[in-house]
Amino acid sequence: MNFKNLLFYFLMLAAIPAAATNYYINSKTGSDNNAGNSKDRPWKTMVNLGKNKFMPGDSILFARGSAYTGGVIFSSSGNAAHPIVISHYSVGADVIKNTPRTELTPIFEKYGAGPAPAFSNPDWNVLNGNIFRIEGSYVVIDGLYFHDNTNPPGSDKTTKNVQKLGAVYLALGTHHQVVKNCEFFHTPVGIKVKSSYSLITRNHLHDAANMMAYSWGPIAIMVVSGNNEISHNRVENYGAYGGPYGSDGGVIELDGVDDNFKANNIHIHHNTSINNHGFLEIAARNVDSVTVAYNLSDDRNQFIGGGGYKVNVFNNTVVRTREPNVDRYVFWTFNPELTFFNVKNNIFYIASDLGVFGPVKKVTDHVRVAIGEQPREQNLYYSPGNENPIGITARKGDLLADPLFIDLQNRNFRLSAKSPALGKGTKTNYTYDLDGYPVKNTKPALGAYEF
């Protein structure tokens, strides 16, 4: 074997990870002095996650029914083919089948059973309230429960402590992270995304209703880096009344406090948003190519606030009938000159005292104003008792009609068979609706649901 072939051989060996290891953690029966590599000898706390080096393909599994307090910095990395997975485990069906019912309780404690493992960090002095601060790349967090995290102390209009929050905190400079199938309850910032090329999907974030700081309400997902995807999540009851804007917080914020943030290539699609104080706020300084598509936003205040270039808004169902709404328009901006939205195939169903776009006014100081005329086509607008829900002059392609939802009273915003929104859309690159059903290739329905 010549040198060239030998070098290639060793490079190939280096690309193949050693046999992956499962590590087990059980707060009820474990010990941090155990080896941790079997269900019979699990660790007890998260402390070893910050001490040990984990390899691509390894899995770190928490027993179902267990609970943990505090936080950990996790710095190990997987790779594209073999990410590191942080998830859960439970007793196998075969063990239950072969164990008498009267002897199952200690089995459940030893091998895990019941709800997803629970994590809380109520102490700001421990990692600023972070639970998992991920400083490696190619890490998957799957199926965990986070609850009751701290608000930052000494919050006022100048503090930046809010920037340090995040029950799951994906650190700057990392990449290719996945957070999926997790639940977040009463976490002022559920997921902080400073990583790039990451996916936040199929999570349930709910019930955070207290102001974090003078001008900050709770935010389910805060994004501080480009090239990320947020999809198929459900967010409920995020945001608070108060502060200089009257209301703040909500589902997603592209946060511009970090000066180097360029909000390019952010893809927000197929999310369900219920009773939050706004769906998306674009506070970043540099925005290019943000797409918001096939979302249901049944919230208060703005659908998208903040300016940006190339913000595509396709096939969303936006409902604003919850009161009170502090924002007077569905879209607003701090800088009309730098705001460029492409709005098509959406349904806007709003209260009679609101507008969708509204006339542009001269900006003085840091004041929210309507975004005025923007490229738009094939949108449906309806506001009972309001002849001008658009807020500006209607143009060709605007449809002013009742969308005829299946059950408005019970907030089922799918389209009935007689809806004027059926078949009125223009083609996009999306192939399925919010329910996962196929959309028509040439003339999809307006809004997030295809009949």
Side-chain angles (χ1 to χ4, degrees), residues 295-297 303 316-320 330 346-350:
N295 303 283
L296 168 64
S297 175
F303 177 54
N316 301 282
T317 296
V318 180
V319 180
R320 287 297 179 275
V330 171
N346 302 281
I347 293 176
F348 300 100
Y349 191 110
I350 62 175

Side-chain angles (χ1 to χ4, degrees), residues 91-101 104 107-108:
V91 62
D94 57 332
V95 176
I96 295 175
K97 180 181 178 180
N98 296 318
T99 303
R101 287 176 177 268
L104 281 175
I107 296 294
F108 290 148

Side-chain angles (χ1 to χ4, degrees), residues 250 292 326:
V292 181
V326 176

